[in-house]
Amino acid sequence: MAKSAYLTDNAFTERNIVCYDHSDVISNGYKVRNPLRFPAPLMVFQLSIISLTSLIIGVGLKPLGQPILVAQVLGGILFGPSALGRSEVLRETIFPPRGVMALETAATFGVFFNLFAIGVECDSKRMFRPGKKAVIIGISVLFSSLISNMGMATLMQSFITMDPPLAKALPVVAISQCIVGFPNVCSLLKEMQMLNTDQGRLATTSAMFCDVIGFTMGAVGFIKLQVEKEHSIPRKMGSGLSPLILVIFTIYFVRPAIKKTLKQRPDGKPVGENYFVCILIIVLTYIFAAETIGQHFLFGALLLGMAIPEGPPLGAALINKLHYPIGKLLYPVFLTTSGLKTDVFTIHFKSLWVISLLVLFSVLIKIAVMIIITRFTGLTVHDSVIVGLMLNSKGICDVVFFNLWRISEALTDEHFAVVIIISVILVTVIITPLLKYLLGSIEEQSPTKRRTLQHSKPDTELRILVCVHHLQSVPTMVNLLEASNATEQSPIGVIGLVLIELVGRAAPLLITHNHTQGEIPEDASISLQIINALRQYELAYETCVTLQPFTDITHFDLMHEDICRLSLDQNATFLILPFHKHWEIDGSIGTSSRAIQNINSKVIKKAPCSLGILVDRGILKGSMAILNNQKGYHVAVIYIGGPDDAESLAYGARLARHPNVSVTLIRFLMFGYDNARERKVDNSLIEAVRYENSMNENFIYEERVTRDGVGLSASLRSLEDRYDLIVVGRYHEESPLLVGLGEWSECPELGVVGDFLASPDVGIIASVLVVQQQRVRGKLLNRAAKPVVVNNQDGGPYPEMNNHNHNNNGMSTPTTVSNDHPRWEITIDRAN
């Protein structure tokens, strides 16, 4: 018994009737029968070769900065009638007509589940309540493109001689070029790591608003087609009202029911498998309902997706489970099958240049509209061009519509091939390097203004950007802010930035909080606890501390961009980052995040101001607030030499002004090695701090003379539990003083000394702040100083150092320190 089915394409481009045996789905092995003659093994083989080919092409195009979309479509073109598919043997073996229906069905499942996932990731509130700029851009670009493209298509039909199929295709192509799909824009910018740029945020928000308009217009168009097909008035009313009823049912019943079910789930408990299975069943039901009422299945998938609450717990769980089977396997099959239907040998030159001209005109119109409306958007011409290019992104939306129009015969196979190659591939290939170049030119214009503690005026506001990932980091962070000594003469402006990984959302969010904060996303609720803790610090010092809190929900790969941009926009002088490791109360490492470590490393390279990485060990010593701490807060500042140590010295000098903070400045000198010029720089900096604290009983100055890295490490180990915080510079010039310390470095972002102090093997229980002075384009603002050394022949500014006795081996021995400096101690390493 055999069944028959209508298929497309030679397999894909010709209509054939194919008979197949319904009783055999799998083979019994190659020794008995050829597995590729049976549907199941054939489809598995097709999926494998499609995925592998797309992966190989993607790897080859990655150095050129091209998105994976191009590789997936090119993979289909490679196996299609444009290339390898012209071989009858290969075509009949890999993509025979009998296997097309199964592959198309798998591709269809991939596209509607992918669109469902896109709906889940969309923030429905942002879609219907965008900002003023997004509304202006969305309306202007969409309708200007529609009017201009249709006008251009009409003129071309009137003045260019063309065959009827091409004349029929031009309005369709004109409409397709008006599409500003949010999935297109978001996918491209995510791959190019531009989602977090100001232009990227504006483009995604504008595209989201355009989707609302386009989605509505598309639904109305389908309703109109269904109404025209019906003859009786009741059927016409049913066709017109049924989609509206489905929308109302979704908004007022399905979404509230899902939210109510999620609220009954215990807090902190992950979503169970039953939730996931039920959602998949509802997705299939919605797709069937959409087809039943005359709408395309995409309508049902997107509608239900937008009804699912985005982000954790349900939205994020759905995205995680659908990511690999759908996003990495079945969805690429849809793009590849679109390439399989592309036959470049059917293209005529006239069709090619006519459609290319219309596509080019549409691209330029969007950019021109963005430039024209700069008066209303406040963007520069440069930024307007960037946003215009972003809104020209091509992707899943275009490919879906081209396939629909091909099935409905609005596009012939020839014109389908042209729009796939020109509109999808060529436009993407061109705008990708243009975006990189234009955004790269903006990054090169980074400011050169000094934003350092060392060069700040003492009577100006100190603006500190504090980054927090977890609630347990807050006590030590607040202690550090309290120790920074906010006064009315030198107030502190705290920019609190809560960092949350973007999960289950398509577009990142940067939320500005205020005292009248409204509703925020559920996955950002932890930020309210962190911000409330920071507000307590603000209230305790309300006359000299201001707080501006933000919450950043974004991908870990892009988080450093937001940190650097916010510190620049908020004019921060000092940026504090949390270390990626957290300690348990027994002194062991509790959690470690490689993603946070990567963020810190990227911020170190791009930070527009000085920064510090805080290694939080507050749990080992207790985190009592300095304001109420009767025992005081003990800080050690390690000084070896160089600009980073100079920055840590400047911060230590500020800490020393706090009445409850005692600061010990420990300067390490290397015996028998000297650079008079660099030592003079270090001496002047230290002398200024000593002079400022000459009457401060809580300030201690120590000099420790050592021979090598062994002596330095032994001296650092001796700090043990004497301090609550140790401040040290990140970078030091190469010196025998540091030999051996960096050989087993685990965290290079801390530098040699910082990594040693942060190691759990050393036994130090104090928190560590590793400071780096501002770099401009990777270069230091002032001349780097080498490690300071002792010169026994030079008088210098410290006469006490000239009173060393020398033994026959040339080694120094301790001497009595002058009583004029009661808080000055000298330790000399005398070990061989």
Side-chain angles (χ1 to χ4, degrees):
M1 176 109 184
K3 293 185 179 180
S4 62
Y6 282 98
L7 303 176
T8 58
D9 196 64
N10 240 340
F12 284 96
T13 57
E14 297 177 1
R15 191 169 292 275
N16 303 281
I17 297 179
V18 178
C19 297
Y20 60 91
D21 188 349
H22 73 283
S23 62
D24 281 333
V25 177
I26 60 175
S27 70
N28 294 321
Y30 73 94
K31 292 184 178 180
V32 181
R33 292 179 293 186
N34 182 2
L36 296 183
R37 299 191 63 84
F38 297 87
L42 177 61
M43 189 174 72
V44 170
F45 178 72
Q46 289 171 336
L47 292 176
S48 301
I49 197 170
I50 286 173
S51 301
L52 180 61
T53 304
S54 299
L55 181 63
I56 293 173
I57 297 176
V59 171
L61 293 178
K62 189 173 182 180
L64 302 177
Q66 295 301 322
I68 192 63
L69 168 76
V70 176
Q72 290 163 345
V73 177
L74 286 178
I77 294 176
L78 177 65
F79 285 108
S82 300
L84 300 178
R86 298 194 70 79
S87 169
E88 184 176 353
V89 175
L90 189 65
R91 183 175 65 247
E92 291 296 325
T93 303
I94 300 179
F95 295 103
R98 65 180 177 275
V100 172
M101 177 164 285
L103 188 63
E104 290 273 17
T105 303
T108 302
F109 269 83
V111 73
F112 69 61
F113 271 111
N114 184 71
L115 288 170
F116 166 72
I118 289 172
V120 173
E121 290 181 313
C122 286
D123 189 340
S124 55
K125 294 177 182 177
R126 292 178 67 191
M127 290 185 71
F128 294 98
R129 289 185 292 180
K132 179 181 177 182
K133 286 184 181 180
V135 172
I136 294 174
I137 293 173
I139 293 176
S140 301
V141 171
L142 181 61
F143 289 104
S144 296
S145 298
L146 180 61
I147 295 170
S148 302
N149 291 353
M150 291 302 294
M152 184 65 173
T154 303
L155 289 174
M156 295 175 77
Q157 288 173 328
S158 302
F159 293 98
I160 300 175
T161 303
M162 61 184 73
D163 54 18
L166 179 57
K168 179 183 177 182
L170 281 183
V172 176
V173 176
I175 293 174
S176 72
Q177 299 309 301
C178 302
I179 296 174
V180 184
F182 170 73
N184 300 351
V185 177
C186 188
S187 177
L188 179 66
L189 298 186
K190 181 180 179 181
E191 282 197 55
M192 298 182 67
Q193 296 192 344
M194 295 180 181
L195 268 178
N196 287 39
T197 61
D198 295 334
Q199 300 88 348
R201 292 180 187 277
L202 186 57
T204 51
T205 307
S206 303
M208 203 178 290
F209 180 70
C210 285
D211 271 0
V212 174
I213 302 175
F215 189 70
T216 304
M217 294 173 64
V220 171
F222 269 97
I223 291 173
K224 183 180 178 182
L225 290 175
Q226 290 301 117
V227 170
E228 290 176 351
K229 291 179 182 179
E230 303 294 345
H231 299 288
S232 63
I233 294 180
R235 285 182 174 272
K236 288 180 179 289
M237 292 182 63
S239 298
L241 292 178
S242 53
L244 182 61
I245 293 173
L246 183 61
V247 172
I248 294 174
F249 175 76
T250 304
I251 295 174
Y252 292 101
F253 179 77
V254 175
R255 184 175 174 89
I258 293 174
K259 284 188 171 182
K260 184 176 180 180
T261 304
L262 291 175
K263 287 182 179 179
Q264 295 175 353
R265 180 184 57 87
D267 292 338
K269 186 178 180 181
V271 175
E273 293 295 327
N274 291 337
Y275 286 90
F276 182 66
V277 174
C278 288
I279 292 296
L280 292 185
I281 295 173
I282 296 174
V283 171
L284 298 176
T285 304
Y286 255 73
I287 291 171
F288 177 76
E291 289 285 336
T292 302
I293 64 177
Q295 291 288 323
H296 195 271
F297 65 80
L298 302 180
F299 175 82
L302 280 171
L303 180 62
L304 180 62
M306 288 188 288
I308 304 293
E310 70 280 356
L314 182 58
L318 286 171
I319 297 302
N320 286 334
K321 290 183 178 295
L322 293 175
H323 178 66
Y324 286 102
I326 302 300
K328 298 297 183 182
L329 184 62
L330 294 184
Y331 165 63
V333 171
F334 173 75
L335 296 175
T336 304
T337 55
S338 299
L340 286 168
K341 300 168 190 173
T342 304
D343 187 355
V344 297
F345 294 100
T346 63
I347 300 175
H348 294 88
F349 179 72
K350 175 167 281 190
S351 298
L352 179 63
W353 75 261
V354 168
I355 293 178
S356 299
L357 181 60
L358 185 55
V359 171
L360 176 62
F361 176 79
S362 173
V363 171
L364 295 177
I365 278 294
K366 289 179 181 176
I367 297 174
V369 170
M370 284 300 307
I371 295 174
I372 292 171
I373 63 175
T374 52
R375 177 180 177 184
F376 305 100
T377 60
L379 299 175
T380 63
V381 174
H382 189 272
D383 288 343
S384 297
V385 172
I386 292 175
V387 176
L389 287 172
M390 290 176 174
L391 295 179
N392 275 298
S393 303
K394 305 299 179 181
I396 176 63
C397 298
D398 304 89
V399 178
V400 166
F401 282 115
F402 291 151
N403 277 278
L404 289 177
W405 286 323
R406 178 180 178 273
I407 293 172
S408 65
E409 298 183 350
L411 292 175
T412 64
D413 290 339
E414 175 192 2
H415 303 136
F416 177 83
V418 174
V419 292
I420 286 291
I421 293 173
I422 300 299
S423 179
V424 177
I425 297 179
L426 189 59
V427 170
T428 303
V429 167
I430 292 174
I431 68 172
T432 301
L434 285 177
L435 283 173
K436 285 193 173 182
Y437 172 76
L438 293 173
L439 278 171
S441 63
I442 293 178
E443 292 181 359
E444 289 176 0
Q445 299 173 2
S446 57
T448 56
K449 179 182 177 182
R450 286 185 172 181
R451 298 171 184 268
T452 68
L453 297 167
Q454 181 183 356
H455 302 99
S456 298
K457 296 180 180 179
D459 56 347
T460 57
E461 181 185 39
L462 174 62
R463 297 188 61 78
I464 302 177
L465 175 61
V466 176
C467 300
V468 183
H469 290 277
H470 306 288
L471 189 61
Q472 57 264 38
S473 303
V474 174
T476 301
M477 198 73 77
V478 171
N479 271 357
L480 186 60
L481 291 173
E482 288 188 31
S484 299
N485 191 40
T487 62
E488 294 184 3
Q489 292 75 28
S490 181
I492 292 179
V494 178
I495 306 111
L497 180 60
V498 183
L499 301 169
I500 299 175
E501 182 185 9
L502 179 67
V503 181
R505 295 176 183 273
L509 289 174
L510 182 62
I511 304 170
T512 303
H513 300 268
N514 51 51
H515 291 283
T516 58
Q517 178 63 43
E519 186 178 356
I520 66 168
E522 183 178 348
D523 50 336
S525 58
I526 185 65
S527 67
L528 293 181
Q529 303 177 43
I530 296 173
I531 291 167
N532 287 337
L534 293 175
R535 288 204 187 281
Q536 297 304 312
Y537 164 65
E538 181 189 27
L539 293 174
Y541 298 87
E542 56 184 352
T543 60
C544 48
V545 171
T546 57
L547 173 66
Q548 178 58 67
F550 296 87
T551 297
D552 185 31
I553 307 176
T554 188
H555 300 284
F556 277 141
D557 290 340
L558 302 176
M559 203 167 277
H560 67 285
E561 297 282 355
D562 282 349
I563 295 172
C564 295
R565 188 175 299 109
L566 188 63
S567 62
L568 183 62
D569 293 342
Q570 294 295 318
N571 199 29
T573 304
F574 194 48
L575 165 63
I576 302 177
L577 300 167
F579 190 49
H580 67 279
K581 295 180 181 179
H582 289 274
W583 269 255
E584 296 291 349
I585 196 168
D586 61 355
S588 62
I589 301 294
T591 59
S592 178
S593 171
R594 181 68 64 180
I596 296 177
Q597 184 181 23
N598 292 335
I599 292 170
N600 293 345
S601 299
K602 292 176 181 178
V603 173
I604 285 172
K605 296 177 181 178
K606 299 186 65 174
C609 62
S610 296
L611 63 87
I613 299 179
L614 180 61
V615 180
D616 180 10
R617 292 197 183 107
I619 192 172
L620 305 181
K621 292 181 71 68
S623 300
M624 184 180 295
I626 294 177
L627 187 66
N628 304 318
N629 193 347
Q630 302 299 322
K631 297 182 179 179
Y633 190 71
H634 302 280
V635 179
V637 178
I638 307 298
Y639 193 96
I640 298 174
D644 290 351
D645 275 357
E647 192 73 0
S648 65
L649 177 63
Y651 188 57
R654 184 178 181 101
L655 299 178
R657 302 186 193 118
H658 195 290
N660 284 2
V661 176
S662 62
V663 174
T664 300
L665 174 57
I666 306 173
R667 181 183 185 183
F668 285 95
L669 303 164
M670 181 176 171
F671 180 79
Y673 182 78
D674 189 20
N675 184 312
R677 182 177 178 182
E678 302 299 347
R679 189 187 61 165
K680 184 177 180 181
V681 175
D682 293 327
N683 288 348
S684 61
L685 293 175
I686 293 176
E687 189 65 25
V689 174
R690 290 183 57 210
Y691 179 79
E692 181 185 2
N693 292 276
S694 58
M695 304 300 293
N696 186 356
E697 294 184 355
N698 292 331
F699 179 82
I700 302 173
Y701 175 66
E702 296 183 14
E703 285 187 354
R704 301 190 180 187
V705 183
T706 185
R707 294 175 173 275
D708 49 27
V710 176
L712 177 62
S713 62
S715 184
L716 292 174
R717 288 176 186 272
S718 67
L719 301 179
E720 294 181 341
D721 59 349
R722 294 167 54 190
Y723 302 99
D724 300 293
L725 175 70
I726 300 174
V727 184
V728 64
R730 174 178 174 268
Y731 173 77
H732 302 93
E733 291 280 352
E734 291 186 6
S735 164
L737 196 63
L738 304 176
V739 170
L741 291 183
E743 292 181 359
W744 305 101
S745 178
E746 297 180 358
C747 308
E749 72 275 13
L750 298 181
V752 174
V753 180
D755 179 73
F756 179 84
L757 294 172
S759 174
D761 301 327
V762 176
I764 296 176
I765 63 174
S767 297
V768 180
L769 181 66
V770 180
V771 178
Q772 173 181 281
Q773 193 175 72
Q774 177 197 11
R775 310 291 201 258
V776 176
R777 300 176 188 173
K779 298 180 180 179
L780 300 170
L781 287 180
N782 61 337
R783 192 172 187 275
K786 296 181 180 178
V788 183
V789 296
V790 176
N791 187 335
N792 298 321
Q793 308 298 325
D794 187 15
Y798 308 116
E800 294 81 0
M801 290 296 298
N802 301 320
N803 296 329
H804 292 291
N805 298 321
H806 303 278
N807 58 25
N808 295 331
N809 295 325
M811 296 182 56
S812 296
T813 56
T815 62
T816 305
V817 179
S818 169
N819 292 331
D820 295 337
H821 301 276
R823 307 295 289 175
W824 181 17
E825 302 175 6
I826 301 178
T827 302
I828 301 178
D829 175 24
R830 297 190 297 170
N832 291 323

